[in-house]
Amino acid sequence: MKKNQVLTQSVQDYLKTIYKLQDDGTVSTTEIAKDMGVSGASVTGMLKRLSSMSLVDYNSYKGVKLTTRGERIALEVIRHHRLIELYLKEELGYKLDRVHEEACKLEHFISEEFAEKITNKLGNPKFDPHGHPIPTKEGKIHFVNEVPLSEVEAGKETVITRLSDTDQKLLGYLEEIGLIPNVKVSVISKSPFNGPISIKHADTEKVIGYEVAGKIFVEVLPSKN
């Protein structure tokens, strides 16, 4: 990504948000405004600006989608963000509920050379500390087959792949009780009507709420039978 005046922090934030929301489709002005906590008028103004820069395809009636160039920039910002998060966690000892905020402050200002040094230092990691995939320098992403823990049947063994990072207090709680990526978790029982879920990990049984389980993503392991 070329560092110049037009690719401001605000521009990069919008591109990153659109990438997160578009999911192979278009994104509405309302969705962007809600996610970023800004007015619809502000979003419309920025989308027109991004369109003039050929970073998005925007139609006021159909929504917005990133262009190839816009997606490339968004992925670079996301790459920097997630590498910084992992560096803060692994090398500086930050807690999970602190790394996102710090990475948001730094992601716009590191060079690709600096990002590569972090990559080499951490052994070319594929995932950030929350379990989100880190895009490669070429913009490729490694995905895994995962489902929310709340959808796993009783009796199944799983391994945690990712935690939702939208609630920092929840992240702190999950780290405190040991429910973090790469930890094995067995579902013991599920109460009906979206009730509590009993799980077991590290030879310890715990009960977590259905909503909390929905923010823990897992890979279901093959049955031993």
Side-chain angles (χ1 to χ4, degrees):
M1 181 175 66
K2 295 181 179 180
K3 302 294 182 182
N4 53 50
Q5 290 183 331
V6 295
L7 297 182
T8 61
Q9 179 174 333
S10 181
V11 165
Q12 293 176 40
D13 283 340
Y14 268 87
L15 295 177
K16 185 174 69 170
T17 298
I18 295 169
Y19 178 84
K20 179 177 69 175
L21 296 174
Q22 69 180 17
D23 193 26
D24 295 327
T26 57
V27 184
S28 70
T29 300
T30 302
E31 289 177 292
I32 298 171
K34 181 179 179 181
D35 189 87
M36 300 187 72
V38 297
S39 69
S42 296
V43 174
T44 298
M46 176 58 81
L47 294 183
K48 290 179 179 178
R49 178 183 174 190
L50 295 177
S51 180
S52 70
M53 297 163 65
S54 299
L55 297 177
V56 302
D57 290 325
Y58 172 57
N59 182 298
S60 58
Y61 298 102
K62 296 181 180 180
V64 63
K65 185 177 178 67
L66 295 177
T67 62
T68 300
R69 179 168 177 256
E71 182 172 303
R72 186 170 64 248
I73 294 170
L75 284 170
E76 183 173 328
V77 177
I78 292 169
R79 166 178 160 81
H80 290 179
H81 180 97
R82 294 178 178 174
L83 282 171
I84 291 169
E85 285 187 329
L86 190 59
Y87 185 82
L88 291 170
K89 181 74 172 68
E90 297 295 323
E91 298 295 323
L92 300 182
Y94 273 65
K95 298 292 186 180
L96 275 182
D97 58 352
R98 293 280 314 284
V99 296
H100 178 74
E101 182 180 354
E102 291 291 342
C104 283
K105 298 174 185 176
L106 299 170
E107 64 187 21
H108 305 285
F109 305 109
I110 69 169
S111 65
E112 187 54 39
E113 179 183 4
F114 191 83
E116 277 298 288
K117 288 186 179 296
I118 294 178
T119 300
N120 295 334
K121 175 70 174 177
L122 298 176
N124 195 31
K126 289 184 171 63
F127 301 96
D128 73 9
H130 306 109
H132 295 91
I134 299 174
T136 66
K137 185 168 61 174
E138 295 74 29
K140 298 185 181 300
I141 297 181
H142 179 79
F143 291 104
V144 298
N145 186 20
E146 60 183 16
V147 295
L149 183 59
S150 56
E151 296 182 7
V152 177
E153 296 177 1
K156 296 291 187 179
E157 186 177 24
T158 72
V159 60
I160 297 176
T161 55
R162 179 169 61 90
L163 304 175
S164 171
D165 61 357
T166 57
D167 187 331
Q168 303 309 306
K169 289 184 179 180
L170 177 59
L171 277 174
Y173 170 71
L174 293 177
E175 183 174 29
E176 183 180 336
I177 64 175
L179 296 180
I180 57 177
N182 300 317
V183 166
K184 288 185 177 180
V185 173
S186 298
V187 178
I188 300 173
S189 63
K190 300 175 68 177
S191 299
F193 307 109
N194 298 341
I197 298 174
S198 296
I199 62 172
K200 181 178 181 180
H201 83 98
D203 296 322
T204 302
E205 293 188 15
K206 291 183 173 66
V207 177
I208 60 175
Y210 183 87
E211 184 177 349
V212 170
K215 296 185 178 181
I216 301 172
F217 295 85
V218 299
E219 180 181 3
V220 179
L221 299 177
S223 174
K224 295 180 180 178
N225 296 330

